[in-house]
Amino acid sequence: MWKLDGDFLDWTRSELKGRAKQVLRTSYWKAFLVSLLLAVLSGGVSSCSFNSNGGTSVKFPLTGSHDSWTDFYNSPVFVAVVVGAILLFIFLILASIAFHVFVTAPFEVSVMQYFKQAASEDVNMNYLVYSFQKGRYLAIVKAMLWKNFLNFLWFLLLIIPGIVKGYAYSMVPFLLGDNPGIGTKRAVELSNRMTNGHKWKMFVLDLSFLGWYILGFLALGIGVLFVMPYDHSTKAELYKVLRQQALYDGLSNSKELNLSEV
């Protein structure tokens, strides 16, 4: 049990990480697969590649007089190529945004639900489809869209406020895992209040993983994949502490968080 230190539950990095390691001892490879799937989906839309061995290509004149270049730039072909390139770029941007909103963001909630439940000894890969089940999907999409939109607006102001609000809204995926119907604004509001007074310690917690991630990047980047389960599992432990704090402070209640069903 966590002990109270004044008005706050006295959690430490070592305790959270210790609990995360305990969970991963018996389910690491499942956690690795879950983290890998999230990493792949977070990569967004794959880039397209073209080569000279096949497909349709457009050849531009490499030599010629000034008049021939001028004629080419003024030709319908050049205009069509430019317009097509712009439209393709816009399409890829919109497709990437749509993919994140309707696939990656709700899948992130499913992943956090998996790690949260695993922290309670409920290791079940079925949680990967948690967000996509009827009655949950649209509510989760709306809440995650609102959370990411607000965070984006803060980043437009300045980097530091954006980072601070990123920590403030970081509990939203876990809250939606507990109760997808908690409400778009309520999820953001409760996450903001839950993290109040904890943001600096959360930042330091993230810094404690920096060395592991650097080593992962040095290992051709592949090593990062092996760190992510540890990171996600630790964040799930953090959420459990902050949830307990929220109940203690009266910020929420068991009914709102569906604790009787967890």
Side-chain angles (χ1 to χ4, degrees), residues 164-178:
V164 172
K165 286 300 181 182
Y167 283 106
Y169 304 150
S170 62
M171 296 297 112
V172 169
F174 291 104
L175 288 168
L176 293 173
D178 275 340

Side-chain angles (χ1 to χ4, degrees), residues 148-166:
N148 290 329
F149 176 69
L150 290 179
N151 210 175
F152 171 72
L153 291 181
W154 281 103
F155 269 111
L156 286 181
L157 294 177
L158 285 172
I159 297 297
I160 300 300
I163 294 174
V164 172
K165 286 300 181 182

Side-chain angles (χ1 to χ4, degrees), residues 34 103 105-117 122 124-141 172-182 239 243 256-259 261-262:
V34 171
V103 179
F107 188 70
E108 180 186 351
V109 173
S110 292
V111 168
M112 295 306 112
Q113 177 69 357
Y114 167 84
F115 279 100
K116 177 172 62 67
Q117 294 300 103
D122 179 15
N124 192 332
M125 297 290 284
N126 289 333
Y127 286 119
L128 292 183
V129 297
Y130 179 85
S131 298
F132 301 94
Q133 294 176 350
K134 186 176 180 180
R136 296 173 180 164
Y137 179 69
L138 290 180
I140 288 174
V141 166
V172 169
F174 291 104
L175 288 168
L176 293 173
D178 275 340
N179 181 8
I182 193 173
Y239 172 72
R243 182 177 64 184
E256 182 180 47
L257 298 180
N258 285 334
L259 292 186
E261 300 176 13
V262 174

Side-chain angles (χ1 to χ4, degrees), residues 10-26:
D10 185 23
W11 62 270
T12 64
R13 298 189 306 278
S14 60
E15 287 174 312
L16 292 180
K17 288 184 168 184
R19 289 170 179 256
K21 288 176 183 177
Q22 271 187 325
V23 173
L24 293 175
R25 279 193 186 100
T26 58

